[in-house]
Amino acid sequence: MKVDVLLGLQWGDEGKGKIVDVVTPDYDIIARFQGGPNAGHTLIFEGQKQVLHTIPSGIFRKNTMNVIGNGVVIDPVTLKAEIEKIEARGVDVSKNLLISRKAHLILPTHKILDKFSEEAKGKKKIGSTLKGIGPTYMDKTGRNGIRIGDTEHPKFKKKYKALVDKHKGILGDYKYKKLLKESEETWFEAIEYLKRIPLIDSEHYLNNALQVGKKILAEGAQGTMLDIDFGTYPFVTSSNTVTAGTCTGLGIAPNKVGEVIGIFKAYCTRVGSGPFPTELDNKIGQKIREIGHEYGATTGRDRRCGWIDLPALKYACMINGATQLSMMKADVLDTFETIKVCTHYEVNGQKVDYLPYDINDLEIIPVYKEVKGWNTSLSDLKDLSKAPQEFLDYITYLESELNVPITIVSVGPDREQTIIKK
Ligand code: GDP
Ligand code: IMO
Ligand code: MG
């Protein structure tokens, strides 16, 4: 058996949560491999909406185990709140959630450091979600971090104090004391609360599961263009969001990766700062935001909206080895007479079909091909054979450009509004 991977090809918020929830009945285990509470994955079913931050999106399906892998960073307070919300819907999370001992903990001081770092950057700020992601991964790679497995250790509080003391040294005169005092107690309460969720050596658990024929899906967070190595650096997150992240974030060998399902919107969004070549800072962008409800699931911020960007998508398909694609939110474009597709860029008067290295400093002018809109509501579409021709043409065109089949088409936020192409 192999591990299938489902991840974002753009700047996050492509609809990963929705599709993981839809395909979960085909899997025994859903595992998150990176990121943390910066993610906001929305599930809508039976008329109710649920946003997940750290817990894999398979949590509402019976008979599926959910694993928070070693590559994830955990804020105990957010995770506790998330579990309480899910349990209010009748799910006993302690029975279908497992956490890797090796997952690192986000401390209250990591969140303070995130704020401190963004404030110091001023106009150059990343637009971080301020969930402590960057500082926590820095402590992980700097070999100072605390892992959730350490909570089982008698010297846990000592370890905690040593790291907090280090953080205090960095914070210096920055006003943090009140904030820290307010958050520390709830943090330790949450650590106690989480003791009901089993901690495991997830790399063994997952590899053993593969050996006995279980099906595993790895769920990505953020998107390829936010990857620490391949995204629009430094306007990125602090983890590898791409397929390779599955190997390090779960302990899965590269030859055990199976299908890679890349998710993208029929247009494009980005939240936070950084380059976005096809951004529409105008009425069209506003229209997409309003129809698509493009407001952050974690922070509530306006998402920047723009046309689909093929050079960035081709790059993402290459880096991830995408074998299938899932196109989301086509219904948002239902009322557009024409739709634009960025086929390449113009940089310094030259035509280029990839994102240049110094993307932050160059003027990148998107060059568009215009296609006819379908001007029909797709929301109730159940079968692609009944789809308007212009919509089918849009799908075929994207498939031919990206050279990967689109196997899932989503036409609304609800679980039911999904068409799986056979
Ligand atoms: P994720 O982070 O990739 O899981 O995506 P988010 O949940 O942050 O953002 C996707 C948003 O689009 C959510 O509000 C979803 O409910 C919504 N959504 C997902 N698929 C569709 C779709 O096909 N059409 C529409 N209109 N909304 C969708
Ligand atoms: P999901 O999983 C969209 C963005 C932030 C910021 C940058 C760095 O829901 O797709 P961080 O908090 O990681 O330091 O922020 O990355 N960002 C996301 N944008 N979707 C996400 O997750 C994101 N997680 C982080 O807005 O620009
Ligand atoms: Mg999201």
Side-chain angles (χ1 to χ4, degrees):
M1 274 295 171
K2 298 210 166 183
V3 175
D4 292 342
V5 183
L6 186 145
L7 45 72
L9 298 179
Q10 296 163 320
W11 278 277
D13 303 328
E14 295 89 350
K16 299 174 289 293
K18 171 185 162 162
I19 297 302
V20 171
D21 171 58
V22 168
V23 301
T24 292
D26 295 339
Y27 292 92
D28 300 298
I29 300 168
I30 309 293
R32 270 278 302 271
F33 59 92
Q34 45 69 235
N38 49 348
H41 295 182
T42 315
L43 278 57
I44 299 182
F45 57 92
E46 292 157 11
Q48 280 198 59
K49 173 171 146 174
Q50 193 82 38
V51 180
L52 299 171
H53 302 286
T54 320
I55 295 180
S57 302
I59 198 76
F60 288 102
R61 302 284 198 173
K62 282 204 177 90
N63 311 321
T64 303
M65 192 50 89
N66 294 271
V67 175
I68 298 177
N70 57 279
V72 175
V73 289
I74 298 172
D75 178 350
V77 179
T78 320
L79 182 53
K80 173 175 179 265
E82 220 174 310
I83 293 172
E84 284 170 347
K85 272 195 193 150
I86 296 168
E87 296 204 327
R89 287 185 74 170
V91 178
D92 181 355
V93 174
S94 68
K95 295 226 161 55
N96 65 352
L97 178 69
L98 301 168
I99 305 177
S100 165
R101 284 199 172 84
K102 294 190 172 78
H104 278 246
L105 285 173
I106 302 176
L107 271 54
T109 38
H110 282 131
K111 284 164 78 171
I112 297 172
L113 283 166
D114 216 356
K115 197 162 162 271
F116 172 68
S117 158
E118 282 286 79
E119 284 172 14
K121 283 194 164 98
K123 278 192 177 150
K124 291 193 173 143
K125 69 173 186 183
I126 308 291
S128 163
T129 58
L130 302 179
K131 303 291 176 190
I133 305 296
T136 306
Y137 278 115
M138 277 165 72
D139 273 334
K140 175 180 176 175
T141 50
R143 296 156 297 176
N144 294 307
I146 299 184
R147 301 181 290 179
I148 194 161
D150 295 337
T151 60
E152 296 173 318
H153 202 274
K155 288 196 176 142
F156 171 60
K157 285 217 167 146
K158 228 177 164 176
K159 277 193 173 191
Y160 171 87
K161 190 177 174 303
L163 187 52
V164 170
D165 284 346
K166 176 181 159 279
H167 293 160
K168 285 179 177 169
I170 301 170
L171 290 165
D173 295 334
Y174 185 72
K175 286 197 170 48
Y176 66 86
K177 288 191 180 130
K178 191 166 167 265
L179 206 58
L180 181 58
K181 205 163 171 247
E182 282 165 4
S183 45
E184 242 173 354
E185 202 178 316
T186 41
W187 193 85
F188 278 104
E189 272 168 23
I191 289 284
E192 284 306 309
Y193 175 89
L194 291 181
K195 292 192 171 153
R196 32 190 303 264
I197 310 293
L199 298 184
I200 56 158
D201 296 319
S202 60
E203 64 278 33
H204 288 292
Y205 174 84
L206 294 171
N207 281 288
N208 290 341
L210 283 182
Q211 268 194 347
V212 297
K214 300 258 190 225
K215 288 195 74 187
I216 303 176
L217 178 70
E219 172 179 359
Q222 291 80 54
T224 304
M225 302 313 292
L226 289 170
D227 180 89
I228 182 75
D229 282 284
F230 302 106
T232 47
Y233 193 88
F235 299 99
V236 292
T237 189
S238 297
S239 64
N240 281 117
T241 61
V242 296
T243 304
T246 308
C247 300
T248 55
L250 292 176
I252 295 297
N255 62 355
K256 301 235 175 75
V257 173
E259 292 293 314
V260 178
I261 307 162
I263 299 211
F264 67 98
K265 285 178 188 169
Y267 48 95
C268 204
T269 64
R270 169 164 207 167
V271 59
S273 333
F276 181 4
T278 61
E279 180 169 15
L280 295 164
D281 192 9
N282 58 22
K283 283 204 168 136
I284 304 172
Q286 269 170 30
K287 180 174 167 183
I288 295 177
R289 184 176 311 115
E290 274 157 33
I291 301 176
H293 302 291
E294 295 294 359
Y295 308 98
T298 298
T299 58
R301 290 178 291 178
D302 280 10
R303 292 179 185 151
R304 299 153 65 190
C305 299
W307 296 119
I308 198 165
D309 182 337
L310 288 184
L313 269 181
K314 283 178 189 171
Y315 180 73
C317 287
M318 174 183 83
I319 296 290
N320 291 301
T323 60
Q324 299 180 38
L325 298 172
S326 176
M327 183 168 81
M328 312 300 291
K329 305 191 86 160
D331 55 295
V332 174
L333 302 179
D334 280 354
T335 56
F336 285 74
E337 289 289 331
T338 54
I339 294 163
K340 286 187 183 175
V341 178
C342 169
T343 54
H344 52 274
Y345 315 120
E346 208 181 278
V347 183
N348 290 331
Q350 304 272 321
K351 185 176 163 178
V352 290
D353 58 3
Y354 58 88
L355 279 166
Y357 171 76
D358 30 12
I359 180 169
N360 299 310
D361 306 318
L362 291 169
E363 192 194 3
I364 297 179
I365 305 165
V367 180
Y368 292 109
K369 173 187 161 82
E370 216 168 88
V371 299
K372 205 165 175 290
W374 40 91
N375 262 291
T376 319
S377 169
L378 296 178
S379 305
D380 296 322
L381 194 68
K382 296 271 177 269
D383 181 348
L384 280 184
S385 67
K386 300 203 172 72
Q389 190 56 44
E390 291 85 353
F391 182 53
L392 295 175
D393 291 345
Y394 191 61
I395 295 177
T396 313
Y397 171 63
L398 295 178
E399 283 180 324
S400 69
E401 284 292 314
L402 300 170
N403 215 6
V404 185
I406 296 176
T407 53
I408 304 173
V409 175
S410 172
V411 293
D414 194 276
R415 212 184 238 179
E416 304 298 324
Q417 291 169 298
T418 318
I419 303 163
I420 312 270
K421 266 173 52 179
K422 295 281 175 249

